[in-house]
């Protein structure tokens, strides 16, 4: 079974391999009382990737390492600069399935193969405080890299690594770095050993031989020694309507792929965030049909709706359980009769475990992986329509206004209906349209600035009110189900009725609040 360690470290350049790599006196670093020499560890690590290096491109590393005190398989997932989550699994001859699953969204059906072998002599020192508590580990690594696929080169270098102790204060690394910089030691230009190894051992294209000089003609020395200036990188600033929408589409595609490992690891809020990304994508396709051809995007939208629904099985259960638990905690003890908490826990756990297993099966399934590939294809060759080349101020603003008008119609319909199931449904429809308008405004904000940003806030406020109302509808349905189960088991169902009544009162209060909320939004207007 794989386990996880949060790794916070910094890497620094050392002298060429074979040279001295002296460290300054680190006992003078504030907070350090001693530097303990832990000896030299011989490490042998083989890194795996696809033939086209999909993991390296995404700054992920997967290795099998022997030697040291943490031999085994290690998958490192980037969190932020200098921070990674290291997922560990025991040594085995093949890549553990647990780790393969965590990179599935990157590799799809591609095979993982050995790409680089790193042999490191690691000279380790522990920085400790006055009580002997570990503050950080400092190592001087003498590394030899051997290319295993995609080339046959090798390279050698020395680097210094400073890794913060578990639960340590990241500010301590700044103190160590200040001392290293005074000694002339600078940060490594490579993000990881693997990145440097791949770069240093990559096959080099042979230089083209120049044309031989004609006899009797003196060679032009200036042309032979002066390199041509590198071309400026293309300007990636969005300019057209299509540029802006595609930037937003790419961001959501990337979010889905990047969140996949977190969802598999059951990281808090990861399911919700992935579901939001799928909804943003689908809403963008529908809102901006004048920019992206809907004959192409509508079938993708169907698949995104399916994925959002699968993700929602888990998320909806989380939300329901949170609401029910909070409502029960707020209830005076004299209104709680029977094993209500135990029944709620059993009810929630049964649905949670079942949906969790189903979700992992979805992420391992062909339909989901095909969807990711389809999104890659769309981003690489977007089905742009004529309006995509026009200025965003007109095309994008018109699309957002159209969505806003639909929200206004739905809210108006809901306000005209009497309390009851029809109004509940109308408010739910208005909520979904408010969410779509919010996402359309999000995509428009870089182009339309403040007006779009203001609409995002307005729609978020409306969405929250309507969402809370919909949650009350779902809570009442769950309470009816729980009461039925309790009654069948011979338990007192009184408490479920009390909770139902309170949920009904909250829903009525939100319905009473809607007219004022909408009036304020209408006064601000759309973009």
């Amino acid at each position: 079974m794989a386990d996880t360690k949060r790794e916070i470290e910094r890497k620094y350049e050392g002298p060429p391999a074979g040279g001295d790599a002296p460290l300054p006196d680190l006992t003078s670093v504030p907070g350090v009382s001693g530097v303990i020499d832990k000896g030299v560890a011989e490490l042998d690590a083989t890194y795996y990737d696809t033939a086209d290096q999909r993991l390296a491109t995404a700054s992920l590393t997967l290795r099998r390492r022997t030697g040291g005190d943490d031999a085994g398989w290690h998958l490192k997932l980037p969190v932020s600069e200098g921070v990674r989550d290291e997922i560990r699994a025991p040594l085995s001859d093949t890549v553990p399935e647990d780790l393969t699953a965590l990179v599935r969204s990157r590799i799809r059906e591609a095979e993982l193969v050995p790409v680089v072998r790193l042999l490191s002599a690691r000279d380790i020192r522990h920085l400790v405080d006055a009580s002997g508590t570990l503050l950080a580990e400092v190592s001087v690594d003498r590394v030899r890299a051997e290319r295993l696929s995609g080339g046959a080169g090798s390279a050698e270098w020395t680097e210094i690594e400073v890794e913060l102790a578990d639960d340590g204060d990241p500010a301590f690394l700044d103190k160590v770095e200040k001392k290293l910089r005074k000694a002339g030691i600078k940060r490594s230009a490579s993000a990881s050993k693997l990145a440097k190894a791949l770069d240093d051992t990559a096959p080099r294209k042979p230089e083209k031989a120049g044309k031989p000089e004609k006899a009797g003609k003196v060679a032009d020395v200036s042309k032979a020694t002066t390199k041509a200036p590198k071309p400026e990188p293309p300007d990636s600033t969005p300019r057209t309507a299509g540029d802006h929408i595609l930037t937003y589409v790419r961001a959501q595609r990337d979010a889905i792929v990047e969140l996949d490992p977190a969802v598999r690891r059951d990281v808090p809020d990861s399911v919700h965030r992935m579901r939001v990304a799928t909804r943003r994508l689908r809403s963008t396709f529908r809102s901006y049909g004048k920019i992206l051809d809907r004959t192409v995007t509508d079938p993708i939208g169907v698949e995104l709706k399916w994925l959002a629904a699968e993700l929602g099985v888990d998320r909806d259960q989380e939300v329901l359980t949170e609401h029910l638990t909070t409502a029960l905690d707020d209830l005076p003890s004299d209104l709680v009769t029977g094993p209500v908490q135990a029944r709620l826990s059993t009810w929630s756990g049964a649905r949670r475990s079942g949906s969790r297993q189903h979700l992992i099966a979805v992420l391992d399934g062909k339909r989901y992986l095909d969807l990711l590939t389809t999104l890659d294809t769309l981003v690489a060759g977007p089905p742009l329509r004529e309006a995509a080349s026009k200025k965003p101020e007109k095309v994008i603003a018109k699309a957002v206004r159209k969505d806003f008008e639909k929200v206004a119609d739905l809210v108006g319909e809901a306000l005209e209906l009497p309390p009851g199931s029809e109004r509940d449904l109308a408010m739910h429809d208005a909520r979904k349209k408010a969410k779509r308008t919010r996402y359309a405004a999000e995509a428009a904000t870089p182009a339309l600035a403040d007006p779009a940003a203001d609409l995002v806030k307005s729609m978020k406020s409306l969405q929250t009110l309507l969402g809370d109302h919909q949650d009350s509808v779902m809570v009442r349905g769950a309470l009816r189900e729980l009461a039925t189960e309790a009654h069948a088991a011979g338990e007192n169902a009184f408490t479920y009725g009390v909770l139902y009544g309170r949920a009904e009162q909250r829903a009525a209060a939100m319905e009473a609040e809607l007219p004022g909320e909408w009036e304020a939004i209408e006064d601000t207007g759309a973009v």
Side-chain angles (χ1 to χ4, degrees):
M1 180 64 68
D3 59 358
T4 303
K5 180 182 183 297
R6 176 60 56 89
E7 180 183 80
I8 303 176
E9 65 180 19
R10 296 180 187 178
K11 297 181 184 294
Y12 301 87
E13 293 183 0
D20 294 331
L23 289 170
D25 179 12
L26 297 176
T27 57
S28 60
V29 174
V32 175
S33 294
V35 178
I36 303 175
D37 189 342
K38 304 297 289 186
V40 177
E42 299 293 337
L43 308 176
D44 186 345
T46 299
Y47 287 77
Y48 286 71
D49 204 338
T50 60
D52 53 358
Q53 297 179 12
R54 299 179 193 179
L55 299 187
T57 300
S59 299
L60 275 66
T61 60
L62 174 62
R63 73 186 178 201
R64 181 187 187 277
R65 190 168 78 181
T66 58
D69 58 5
D70 63 345
W73 286 91
H74 305 151
L75 170 64
K76 298 192 178 188
L77 306 173
V79 176
S80 58
E81 184 178 0
V83 182
R84 294 185 291 183
D85 278 343
E86 183 176 272
I87 319 298
R88 298 176 175 178
L91 276 176
S92 61
D93 293 335
T94 58
V95 183
E97 181 55 36
D98 286 352
L99 300 189
T100 302
L102 292 176
V103 297
R104 187 85 66 201
S105 66
R106 299 289 185 183
I107 66 172
R108 314 290 164 79
E109 301 298 331
E111 181 183 5
L112 289 168
V113 297
V115 291
V116 166
R117 183 185 184 191
L118 296 184
L119 301 171
S120 303
R122 170 164 288 182
D123 191 357
I124 305 169
R125 295 165 178 80
H126 282 183
L127 308 186
V128 297
D129 64 14
S131 67
T133 300
L134 180 65
L135 299 172
E137 180 176 285
V138 179
S139 62
V140 179
D141 295 346
R142 292 179 172 83
V143 186
R144 174 176 174 79
E146 300 174 356
R147 191 76 170 223
L148 302 178
S149 64
S154 63
E156 295 184 4
W157 71 89
T158 301
E159 71 177 34
I160 298 168
E161 187 176 290
V162 183
E163 181 175 349
L164 188 69
D166 293 347
D167 302 319
D169 182 0
F172 178 70
L173 295 182
D174 295 331
K175 299 175 183 179
V176 177
E177 178 161 317
K178 184 176 181 180
K179 187 67 177 178
L180 295 177
R181 291 177 71 88
K182 284 184 177 180
I185 298 171
K186 61 182 181 179
R187 287 276 195 107
S188 174
S190 298
S192 65
K193 287 183 177 66
L194 176 62
K196 181 172 178 58
L198 289 173
D199 184 57
D200 289 357
T201 65
R204 305 299 179 187
K205 293 182 179 180
E207 295 183 6
K208 293 181 180 180
K211 293 182 179 180
E213 296 293 334
K214 293 181 179 180
K217 186 175 181 179
V218 178
D220 187 337
V221 178
S222 64
K223 289 183 180 179
T225 59
T226 303
K227 293 182 179 179
K230 293 182 178 179
E232 291 293 325
D235 186 0
S236 59
T237 303
R239 300 186 185 281
T240 66
D243 291 341
H244 282 279
I245 301 309
L246 285 175
T247 297
Y248 191 74
V249 167
R250 289 190 193 98
Q252 307 319 312
R253 185 278 311 266
D254 292 347
I256 293 172
V257 173
E258 291 166 6
L259 283 165
D260 180 290
V263 171
R264 292 174 185 271
R265 293 163 57 205
D266 205 14
V267 174
D269 204 40
S270 59
V271 171
H272 172 61
R273 290 166 59 202
M274 181 186 272
R275 191 183 188 192
V276 168
T278 63
R279 285 175 163 175
R280 280 174 168 151
L281 259 182
R282 181 167 175 258
S283 292
T284 300
F285 292 157
R286 298 179 71 184
S287 295
Y288 294 105
K290 294 292 185 182
I291 294 173
L292 294 171
D293 188 350
R294 288 193 58 173
T295 62
V296 176
T297 60
D298 277 357
I300 303 175
V302 171
E303 295 304 288
L304 290 168
K305 182 179 181 180
W306 160 78
L307 179 57
E310 297 290 2
L311 293 165
V313 173
D314 221 18
R315 174 61 181 170
D316 291 344
Q317 187 61 42
E318 286 179 11
V319 172
L320 261 181
T321 302
E322 288 171 7
H323 283 303
L324 290 167
T325 301
T326 300
L328 184 59
D329 290 343
D330 291 343
L331 207 60
S333 59
D334 60 341
L335 295 180
V336 180
T337 60
V340 180
Q341 183 62 64
R343 178 160 295 281
L344 174 58
S345 297
T346 302
W347 174 85
S348 175
R351 286 154 180 77
R352 169 74 172 161
S353 60
S355 62
R356 179 77 195 156
Q357 294 169 3
H358 176 73
L359 178 56
I360 297 303
V362 167
L363 297 183
D364 285 334
K366 184 176 184 300
R367 185 174 182 180
Y368 167 70
L369 297 177
D370 285 348
L371 171 58
L372 297 185
T373 300
T374 300
L375 291 174
D376 289 345
T377 301
L378 180 134
V379 167
L384 298 174
R385 299 185 65 189
E386 183 179 351
S389 61
K390 297 181 179 179
K391 293 182 178 180
E393 291 79 7
K394 291 185 178 181
V395 179
I396 292 179
K398 184 177 180 180
V400 175
R401 282 195 297 270
K402 185 177 180 181
D403 278 346
F404 181 81
E405 290 167 0
K406 291 179 180 178
V407 174
D409 290 341
L410 290 171
V411 171
E413 291 175 13
L415 292 175
E416 292 176 358
L417 292 169
S421 58
E422 288 189 14
R423 174 183 274 192
D424 292 343
L425 182 59
M427 291 179 69
H428 183 46
D429 288 341
R431 171 182 174 246
K432 291 188 290 185
K433 190 62 67 176
K435 189 182 300 184
R436 173 174 159 181
T437 305
R438 172 189 167 189
Y439 296 153
E442 281 180 355
T445 298
L448 307 182
D450 289 346
D454 290 342
L455 184 59
V456 170
K457 293 178 182 178
S458 295
M459 290 297 100
K460 185 176 181 179
S461 177
L462 178 62
Q463 178 188 331
T464 299
L465 175 63
L466 296 172
D468 289 344
H469 182 274
Q470 177 62 16
D471 287 342
S472 78
V473 173
M474 300 301 294
V475 163
R476 282 176 279 164
L479 286 168
R480 283 193 295 268
E481 182 180 338
L482 284 163
T484 300
E485 292 180 0
H487 179 74
E491 299 167 5
N492 193 321
F494 169 77
T495 300
Y496 304 106
V498 173
L499 292 172
Y500 188 98
R502 288 191 165 200
E504 201 169 40
Q505 288 178 341
R506 285 194 296 272
M510 284 179 277
E511 291 177 26
E513 187 181 342
L514 179 57
E517 175 80 13
W518 180 247
E519 183 178 355
I521 292 173
E522 276 193 315
D523 288 343
T524 61
V527 296

